[in-house]
Amino acid sequence: MTSRLRPLFVGVDRYVLRACGERGIPAVVAYGPYWRDSGIPDLPDCVTPVFVEDECSAEAVLTALTRAGLGEERFASVTTTNEYALINVAVLTQALGCPGIPPTVALRFRDKFLQKEAVRAWGIPTARSVVLEDIHDDELPELAFEAGVIKPVTGAATRQTATVRSTDELHQTVRRFRSEGGSARTFVVEEFQQGDEWLVDGVIHDREIRFMSVAEYTHPCLSVVESQATMQDRRFDPTTEAWAFRLAEPVVRAALEALGLTDGIFHMELFHHEGEVFFSECAARRGGFVHEQVECKFGVDLGDAALSLALGEEPDVTVRERPGIVGGTYITSSPGLLFGIPSQDEVLSLPNVEYVLFGHLVGASLPAANSDTTKRVGEVVITTETLEEFHKRSEEVLAWFADRITVIPAGTKGRDLRRMQSTLGYDTQLMASYRREDG
């Protein structure tokens, strides 16, 4: 009798690792410096961790596996939820001779220009786009559309993304991106798309969509960054809002076929305008701040489904639908140094709150502006009976957090820190001297 092959996960996915522990499935996780520094989650005994210098480097992963005595191991598959490691994982599947996403498919999920070209060739409505090969070139093209959106061709999280409405504005934005000193140099300019922004999260196996959730952002991602609004979304109800699923499903199904994804978890973004649905982008991974909402609304564990797919098994995506509204909102704060957050007991005493995640260590520097859709203090999932109640309760919950998150302004003077001692919870001075009086 042969033992089951272990899957190799590149990057930490706490939900998949939790499923490994619950099911007793042995696995190997190759994790990089971010997790080493911020704290890798407690791993079940059946999971073997391997530190790698760079999750996006085949050299780093292969050499680390070999040093750990795993260089000759045959794996069940190689997968990742690290957007930037997707092509590396595709290369590793070939190097290690195991199942996983093919490089040609991975390219279409990383390169936004190639992705839209593939989708458009399939007859799916999507924005036109033009590549800027190097934003450091002296000669820049004119804006090809009445309005456009410029972004890194392999970017994520609306980072270094902006709306441009003229050639002059395009050139000004390029100069700003140059001055920011980011590593991205190849950008794409896409035709601006009107409409509400939807997100679709699902599971595909053997080319068939086994589960699909459709949701909407309160504000499109780009407008959240440009207007510094609060990131917020909520799941459509498949019973009372079946119309949204009927509109989205044909586009989702055709787009996945055009992109070539046959097995995996996917996160797709669409635009809905006047009864029509347009393709925007798609990732071959779980979306951020998605797992808890999907589990709360549908009873589907995307981490467990991802583990089954990594083992080559049929995923269990049995839906146990919860009526009403399930949605989430980011917790934001003023800029400065994070000093304190509410306790677990305080948070869990809030009505309508199903889940809260704080995403920073105490002492973290909080930015003055949200440069992308990952910037927040934390996230909260809220359930209500109606959409009106959801928006009202979200505002109340965010106001509650605002009163209980302590942030020290950056550059606070010494005299102000001294005055703040008791407010911050200290009965004695932090700057103090003590002398033993006895003897």
Side-chain angles (χ1 to χ4, degrees), residues 12 73 98 102 115 124 147 245 386 406 435 439:
V12 173
E73 178 163 348
C98 60
Q115 183 172 101
I124 303 166
F245 288 78
T386 68
T406 305
R435 177 179 179 180

Side-chain angles (χ1 to χ4, degrees), residues 297-368:
K297 177 65 180 176
F298 299 97
V300 172
D301 185 332
L302 293 178
D304 184 80
L307 175 57
S308 292
L309 293 171
L311 296 169
E313 299 175 352
E314 182 81 24
D316 179 7
V317 288
T318 305
V319 173
R320 297 175 294 279
E321 185 183 330
R322 176 176 185 157
I325 303 298
V326 174
T329 185
Y330 278 5
I331 304 168
T332 58
S333 77
S334 56
L337 301 179
L338 181 62
F339 189 86
I341 58 176
S343 69
Q344 176 180 333
D345 288 342
E346 288 178 297
V347 171
L348 295 183
S349 69
L350 294 173
N352 302 103
V353 172
E354 296 291 332
Y355 172 86
V356 175
L357 169 69
F358 290 107
H360 290 284
L361 300 172
V362 171
S365 178
L366 304 178

Side-chain angles (χ1 to χ4, degrees), residues 181-243:
S183 59
R185 293 183 60 145
T186 301
F187 280 65
V188 63
V189 181
E190 299 176 352
E191 188 176 17
F192 182 82
Q193 178 64 60
Q194 295 280 357
D196 304 321
E197 191 169 7
W198 288 3
L199 55 157
V200 181
D201 300 280
V203 179
I204 184 171
H205 180 49
D206 285 343
R207 301 180 183 273
E208 287 294 328
I209 297 175
R210 304 304 172 93
F211 167 77
M212 189 179 81
S213 163
V214 185
E216 67 172 349
Y217 292 110
T218 301
H219 307 286
C221 294
L222 182 54
S223 70
V224 166
V225 174
E226 292 184 331
S227 67
Q228 296 295 290
T230 299
M231 190 76 175
Q232 186 180 84
D233 64 348
R234 63 97 181 183
R235 302 282 134 181
F236 283 115
D237 188 285
T239 301
T240 62
E241 296 170 306
W243 62 271

Side-chain angles (χ1 to χ4, degrees), residues 5-10 28-30 50 52 55 57-67 69-80 85 87-101 103:
L5 298 180
R6 297 191 290 182
L8 170 62
F9 301 114
V10 177
V28 176
V29 57
V50 177
V52 300
E55 294 176 10
S57 164
E59 176 184 358
V61 174
L62 291 174
T63 53
L65 289 173
T66 302
R67 288 194 302 269
L70 303 174
E72 300 299 321
E73 178 163 348
R74 291 183 60 225
F75 292 100
S77 63
V78 187
T79 57
T80 188
I87 290 181
N88 181 38
V89 161
V91 172
L92 288 172
T93 62
Q94 293 199 335
L96 296 171
C98 60
I101 189 169

